[in-house]
Amino acid sequence: MASTEESRKSFANSVLRFLVYYGFDGLDMDWEYPTARGGIAADAENYVALLKVIKEAISPWGLTLTTAVPIDDALLGTAYDASAMAEIVDYVHLMAYDYVPSTSKVTGLSAPLSAIKNTVSNWINAGLPAKKMILGIPSYGRNYVLENENKHDIGDPVLNAGLPGDYTSEDGFLAYYEVMQIVNDQFLFMESVEIDGTNYAYGSGEWITYETEATVRTKAQYAIDEGLGGIMMWSVDTDDFQGLYGKKFPLLSAINDVIKKT
């Protein structure tokens, strides 16, 4: 679809019709990832060309074009041309989470602030203006089964990804409210630790990396201090949208509170 001018224009025109018909404000392109997962080396250039054609099609209608990008430094060098993309899109959504995936063999933080700062710096140095970068903050957690429940520090071994939540139904992945259900269960004896702008908890052989209202505030303030273009959260349906453990959308609300104060 991205490899020829004809196919790019065909896609762009179909996108425009879809956006206008349903009244959307714009399009977020999330190709994971050009040049990888069966892609070819030319896909880095093809993606820029595709974004350009889409922008030309939707811009006259006042529609916004954004793109999501990963934290992998190797992909920044091979799959994404930061400066070329920055000249086309309105914003770039940095998916600043899953620094340690659910498949990890040791415990680790999903969204440590120190790693995020390094990634932000790398993208800016590659040619992406800070004002065009949107910082992604997770509203989900990653859970693991500890190999030894008495060894629960960062970097300690795990047996496998943790059990899925009732809602998310995915091994090693929990919505924020599912994390809260576990952390607040007095029979699981969970201990919670805030570190490096994020949080983890352990107990009864389980280990969870997740965000809290306090840690998302820290990340939001960092984005503001660095002059980034904004903040996005992945995703609203994994925040506590029903208010089971307090007010509705506690993480999203905490981020919004910080933004309103600037």
Side-chain angles (χ1 to χ4, degrees), residues 15 66 83-84 95 125 174 231 246:
V15 164
T66 63
S83 58
M95 298 182 286
N125 290 337
L174 297 171
I231 300 160

Side-chain angles (χ1 to χ4, degrees), residues 206-222:
E206 186 165 17
W207 202 94
I208 311 172
T209 171
Y210 64 103
E211 299 299 317
T212 65
E213 292 181 54
T215 64
V216 299
R217 286 193 187 97
T218 298
K219 288 182 169 71
Q221 190 60 55
Y222 161 73

Side-chain angles (χ1 to χ4, degrees), residues 31-109:
W31 183 351
E32 300 182 20
Y33 309 96
T35 74
R37 297 178 175 177
I40 58 176
D43 280 341
E45 293 183 4
N46 290 339
Y47 190 42
V48 172
L50 176 62
L51 292 173
K52 186 174 185 295
V53 171
I54 295 173
K55 182 65 174 177
E56 290 172 349
I58 71 174
S59 185
W61 293 78
L63 300 172
T64 299
L65 177 62
T66 63
T67 183
V69 296
I71 55 176
D72 191 330
D73 289 340
L75 289 172
L76 171 58
T78 59
Y80 299 95
D81 186 333
S83 58
M85 290 164 55
E87 293 179 1
I88 300 168
V89 301
D90 296 290
Y91 295 103
V92 172
H93 294 156
L94 179 63
M95 298 182 286
Y97 31 79
D98 279 350
Y99 281 87
V100 177
S102 60
T103 54
S104 176
K105 299 302 181 183
V106 297
T107 60
L109 303 173

